[in-house]
Amino acid sequence: MNDSSKKREHWATRAGFVLATAGSAVGLGNIWRFPYMTGEYGGAAFILIYLLAVLLLGYPLIVNEMVLGRAAQRNPVGVFKVLAPNSPWWLVGALGVFTGFIILSYYGVVAGWSLAYIYKVVIATVVPGIDHARVFQDHIGSVWEPILWQALFMILTVGIIAAGVVKGIQRWSMVLMPVLFVLLLVLIVRSVTLPGAEEGLVYYLRPDFSKVTGRTLLAALAQAFFSLSLGMGAIMTYGSYLDNKDEIPSNAMIVAGLDTGVALLAGFALFPAIFALGFEPSAGPGLAFITLPAVFAQMPLGAFFGVLFFILLAIAALTSAISLLEAVTAWLMDEKGWSRKRAAVVMGVVIFIVGLPATLGYSVLKDFSFPGLNKDLLDTYDWISNSIFLPVGGFLMAIFTGYVWGAKRATDEANKGHNRFKIGRWWAFLIRYAVPVLIFFVMALGIYDTFFR
Ligand code: TRP
């Protein structure tokens, strides 16, 4: 007997669902990317735009995915097959599953670096005068080491998914998410109590509206999609393990709030320490893997805080990666009748292999880049999935609910269960008009800025 002939699993508790979904949302995107984007794209000006993106696009779309998943009790492809039989809409789900594939493939690479740095940061902080940029370049530039860490990370991810929704995803989210919150708080307290911390806060938060261009808007939009795990069906898949008595409107609000809160707080853990110890923030991966180890090297008990930081990063990555793998796994279980274990293991291996070019993009394939993009392979995977596939996926999901399945029906579905608060006509308005129009214009503007300026 395979899993598909059993009854569908459901979350055992409300906290289980909320922490698992928040675990999906809170990831590398919050801790590793949001802070540097904020610093780079105009501080509080960027935060403002980002908050608007979360409220106008993020929240309605989280509710939408949860509703579609719960209504159909299926994976992203199955959702459309159930709700719009004999139509091509299932392709939206297929695009989502494919995007999940791509995201997890390169996510595993960065997550692998984080795992390796749990011990490498110790070396980097105790060896005097070490060249931190060099340590990182040597790590990602060596062929086998990053591959082994990436493989280890994928094994952990597969292990949790193979154990099931309640015994794997829910159980580990209940353990890891509280640890994540505590670690983040410890790091913030350490950072903001260093003498000279204010300068970092100024850098992080001072609004600079001159940095707001079409590209900034697209960056904020892409970041909101990525950070909230939207547009590929991860939240839909988690929603498919909800019961009719479960609340959607308030849970979606908590998830959006936790995710945004952690992203904002991560900046408070990083910038005060960076500036207090006399460093300049760098953009991109260099911030976490080069600047921070240098900062920890200057800090009393720096090795200790460094280890905590990379454990935090690895935990955040793990609870996100499992949601990506779960969407893919659920598709194979529901649609192809595979057992959970087989789907998780086979997909874990395939995704690992697809990720290898991204890893090798810093060693063997260093000189390769797609014409016109001027990005390394990992950034290319990242850019295509976040700036193109996720917004397109979210756009089509909104169109589907707004004009095909029906916004009224979706609203009623969301308001089932004993709700603390219900969504109203405003939600239907956002899904039908605001979300599609905003996504369309921001994408057009951002693509114009990226390629034609
Ligand atoms: N939200 C995660 C982060 O911020 C990444 C992630 C997990 C994701 N699942 C997703 C992104 C689904 C897009 C779609 O790091």
Side-chain angles (χ1 to χ4, degrees), residues 102-176:
I102 302 294
I103 295 180
L104 183 52
S105 76
Y106 75 81
Y107 208 78
V109 178
V110 182
W113 301 345
S114 314
L115 278 182
Y117 262 70
I118 294 177
Y119 88 88
K120 289 222 160 174
V121 72
V122 177
I123 303 169
T125 44
V126 297
V127 178
I130 199 166
D131 178 345
H132 295 279
R134 191 62 193 275
V135 174
F136 184 55
Q137 290 313 331
D138 285 350
H139 179 70
I140 64 177
S142 65
V143 177
W144 287 106
E145 234 194 303
I147 292 182
L148 288 175
W149 288 103
Q150 179 189 356
L152 176 63
F153 180 81
M154 291 304 295
I155 290 169
L156 294 175
T157 307
V158 167
I160 295 178
I161 290 309
V165 176
V166 174
K167 294 210 176 100
I169 303 172
Q170 167 165 331
R171 183 206 266 163
W172 283 99
S173 304
M174 296 288 284
V175 174
L176 294 175

Side-chain angles (χ1 to χ4, degrees), residues 61 64 225 231-232 389-399 435 439:
L61 285 171
N64 190 37
F225 269 94
M232 58 75 44
F389 291 164
L390 295 180
V392 167
F395 176 86
L396 292 171
M397 287 175 197
I399 297 291
V435 168
I439 295 177

Side-chain angles (χ1 to χ4, degrees), residues 71-89:
Q73 296 284 302
R74 289 289 176 85
N75 67 92
V77 175
V79 160
F80 295 96
K81 289 198 170 159
V82 168
L83 302 181
N86 306 318
S87 77
W89 277 99

Side-chain angles (χ1 to χ4, degrees), residues 65-340:
E65 285 203 30
M66 287 180 180
V67 163
L68 292 172
R70 178 170 75 181
Q73 296 284 302
R74 289 289 176 85
N75 67 92
V77 175
V79 160
F80 295 96
K81 289 198 170 159
V82 168
L83 302 181
N86 306 318
S87 77
W89 277 99
W90 63 271
L91 288 166
V92 177
L95 173 71
V97 171
F98 175 74
T99 308
F101 236 81
I102 302 294
I103 295 180
L104 183 52
S105 76
Y106 75 81
Y107 208 78
V109 178
V110 182
W113 301 345
S114 314
L115 278 182
Y117 262 70
I118 294 177
Y119 88 88
K120 289 222 160 174
V121 72
V122 177
I123 303 169
T125 44
V126 297
V127 178
I130 199 166
D131 178 345
H132 295 279
R134 191 62 193 275
V135 174
F136 184 55
Q137 290 313 331
D138 285 350
H139 179 70
I140 64 177
S142 65
V143 177
W144 287 106
E145 234 194 303
I147 292 182
L148 288 175
W149 288 103
Q150 179 189 356
L152 176 63
F153 180 81
M154 291 304 295
I155 290 169
L156 294 175
T157 307
V158 167
I160 295 178
I161 290 309
V165 176
V166 174
K167 294 210 176 100
I169 303 172
Q170 167 165 331
R171 183 206 266 163
W172 283 99
S173 304
M174 296 288 284
V175 174
L176 294 175
M177 290 309 286
V179 175
L180 181 146
F181 295 131
V182 171
L183 288 177
L184 184 61
L185 286 183
V186 171
L187 288 163
I188 291 170
V189 170
R190 170 66 290 192
S191 180
V192 298
T193 53
L194 288 165
E198 310 78 34
E199 222 189 304
L201 294 178
V202 171
Y203 170 82
Y204 182 37
L205 299 174
R206 189 187 40 220
D208 181 354
F209 282 93
S210 70
K211 295 216 175 117
V212 177
T213 63
R215 203 186 270 221
T216 319
L217 296 184
L218 181 63
L221 173 98
Q223 175 64 11
F225 269 94
F226 186 78
S227 190
L228 295 167
S229 301
L230 290 172
M232 58 75 44
I235 303 290
M236 207 181 261
T237 307
Y238 278 12
S240 75
Y241 306 123
L242 284 171
D243 266 320
N244 278 337
K245 60 178 176 5
D246 294 315
E247 303 181 31
I248 286 179
S250 62
N251 285 343
M253 191 64 91
I254 296 173
V255 170
L258 284 175
D259 184 67
T260 309
V262 170
L264 289 170
L265 287 174
F268 287 94
L270 304 191
F271 293 122
I274 291 172
F275 282 85
L277 296 169
F279 293 90
E280 285 283 307
S282 44
L287 180 64
F289 294 98
I290 301 172
T291 310
L292 284 188
V295 169
F296 291 124
Q298 299 298 315
M299 195 186 272
L301 288 180
F304 171 72
F305 289 107
V307 170
L308 292 192
F309 175 78
F310 286 103
I311 293 177
L312 168 76
L313 206 54
I315 289 179
L318 186 58
T319 54
S320 296
I322 58 179
S323 72
L324 290 159
L325 186 59
E326 178 62 20
V328 179
T329 302
W331 163 63
L332 283 170
M333 288 168 64
D334 296 347
E335 305 303 312
K336 311 281 169 202
W338 287 31
S339 75
R340 170 171 285 279

